[in-house]
Amino acid sequence: MSHDLPANALGIDFGTSNSTVGWWRPGVEPLLALEEDKVTLPSVIFFNIEERRPVYGRLALHEYLEGYEGRLMRSLKSLLGSKLLKSETTVLGSAMPFRDLLGLFIGELKKRAEAFAGREFEQVVLGRPVFFVDDDPLADAEAANTLVAVANKLGFKDVSFQYEPIAAAFDYERSVTREERVLIVDIGGGTSDFSLIRLSPERRTQLDRQSDILATGGVHIGGTDFDKQLSLEGVMPLFGYGSRMKSDAYMPTSYHLNLATWHTINAVYAQKSQLALQSMRYDIVDPTGIDRLFKLIEQRAGHWLAMQVEDSKIALTEQAERRIDLQRIEAGLDALLDRPLFDQAIGGLLERIQTSIGELLKQAGVKAEEIDTLFFTGGSSGIPALRQCVQALLPNARTTEGNTFGSIGSGLAIEAHKRYG
């Protein structure tokens, strides 16, 4: 492995919300600019009907919000390990398998990286969550095999994986000055992944780090789940969520759950779904909420609303409250979201994260007070209630953080250089 030549391989962090590509070169930060000068590319595809072409990233979101006709696809990574992966969807009037959608996006990452580097790449280290699917090893293996098949089809001959939190650890290790036991907490868009790892300046150059990885774990909870709970708690009641029927039962929740979940929003627009809602309207005691829901569907404003909720979640990391203006649905309508409401909405998810970290420490045979450093990375790792619930478990650990969206891609580039030269 030569240290004075650029690496032969890329590191690709294909994320639920954002993606990065790293290419190791001597003395240079590894992340490549993927969209103008930005190193992240939001994991979004918009199929523009007028121009019959896919667009990606921020441009995709811009065209969608500007009101171009078309189909927006987000949270593509959530397809891995889901039943949808074997099915197809309609894009620009024709059927496209979901796995081809993954290929389109990862292919775009490869193309942009190669344009930046001025060369082609046939070797790659892909980041992966510790579990694509919780408690289902077969579905988990299938998700990984799908990614390998997609990458091979794109021209990558050598494809290997590294756990995302371990890649983040290797990025952090560049700055350590003594041996540390570090818990990496990576809260991404779709999963929360944890690794307990021994890091030191001396170990940095070793190729085999297996003995330094004390334990890995994870749970299928991420930023999109926090969005969903915030939406259900603070926004969907305005659209009939929790409405009573004349039979005293609650209105079925599937429509609101679909609207609050990025990759199922389009299901609410289906004719079958709309007909079922229309036949239900007369059985609802107070139809105010369901009538707003019809307006939302008519405007196809589901993705717009999901973006407002996501922006509010991000704002509530710094602010005590955030108001969503819903004038486009109804004059004078808004939703006030505040920190206590958000904390309550995600309380159950945070308990599961705490439990998962507790199990990880048990698996490693390490006491909580023996952890030196708590390293946060990933787009949702700044949520105050989340930080507090993790810090409460580790009383002696100092807290530090990586580049929210970049640590994993940088670590994968370091790993790709080690593996492939």
Side-chain angles (χ1 to χ4, degrees), residues 262-371:
W262 274 108
H263 59 286
T264 55
I265 290 169
N266 288 313
V268 185
Y269 303 147
Q271 195 179 4
K272 189 172 135 192
S273 170
Q274 291 192 53
L275 289 171
L277 277 169
Q278 276 154 3
S279 68
M280 201 186 297
R281 184 191 181 276
Y282 302 101
D283 294 325
I284 287 181
V285 179
D286 177 0
T288 312
I290 197 171
D291 286 344
R292 286 178 189 144
L293 182 59
F294 287 131
K295 276 190 190 156
L296 182 105
I297 291 169
E298 191 188 318
Q299 291 190 22
R300 296 208 159 209
H303 289 94
W304 169 81
L305 184 59
M307 278 178 216
Q308 303 305 310
V309 173
E310 184 184 25
D311 288 346
S312 301
K313 172 194 71 180
I314 293 164
L316 289 173
T317 296
E318 308 286 339
Q319 295 161 218
E321 59 178 48
R322 174 79 186 269
R323 194 178 293 277
I324 298 179
D325 183 344
L326 297 165
Q327 294 271 12
R328 65 182 280 182
I329 306 296
E330 182 184 300
L333 186 67
D334 64 17
L336 181 65
L337 306 176
D338 61 23
R339 184 86 63 78
L341 175 129
F342 182 40
D343 292 354
Q344 184 195 327
I346 64 172
L349 299 177
L350 297 184
E351 276 175 32
R352 286 173 57 202
I353 286 173
Q354 268 190 320
T355 303
S356 184
I357 291 175
E359 284 167 1
L360 178 93
L361 296 179
K362 225 181 281 170
Q363 179 195 330
V366 172
K367 294 190 181 76
E369 50 274 17
E370 294 173 338
I371 307 292

Side-chain angles (χ1 to χ4, degrees), residues 78-148:
S78 305
L79 295 167
L80 289 164
S82 82
K83 308 248 182 317
L84 284 174
L85 203 56
K86 290 192 171 70
S87 59
E88 46 190 32
T89 185
T90 306
V91 168
L92 300 178
S94 49
M96 177 182 280
F98 276 111
R99 60 167 52 211
D100 289 1
L101 272 176
L102 294 175
L104 270 180
F105 188 79
I106 296 169
E108 187 66 17
L109 292 174
K110 181 177 191 274
K111 192 172 98 183
R112 292 185 184 202
E114 289 178 339
F116 183 100
R119 55 157 292 181
E120 290 179 8
F121 291 93
E122 294 184 344
Q123 296 165 312
V124 67
V125 176
L126 294 173
R128 60 153 293 168
V130 176
F131 302 112
F132 282 109
V133 187
D134 292 347
D135 306 320
D136 189 343
L138 278 174
D140 192 76
E142 195 178 341
N145 293 339
T146 300
L147 262 187
V148 172

Side-chain angles (χ1 to χ4, degrees), residues 16-28:
T16 303
S17 304
N18 288 278
S19 295
T20 60
V21 181
W23 179 38
W24 189 92
R25 290 145 293 157
V28 182

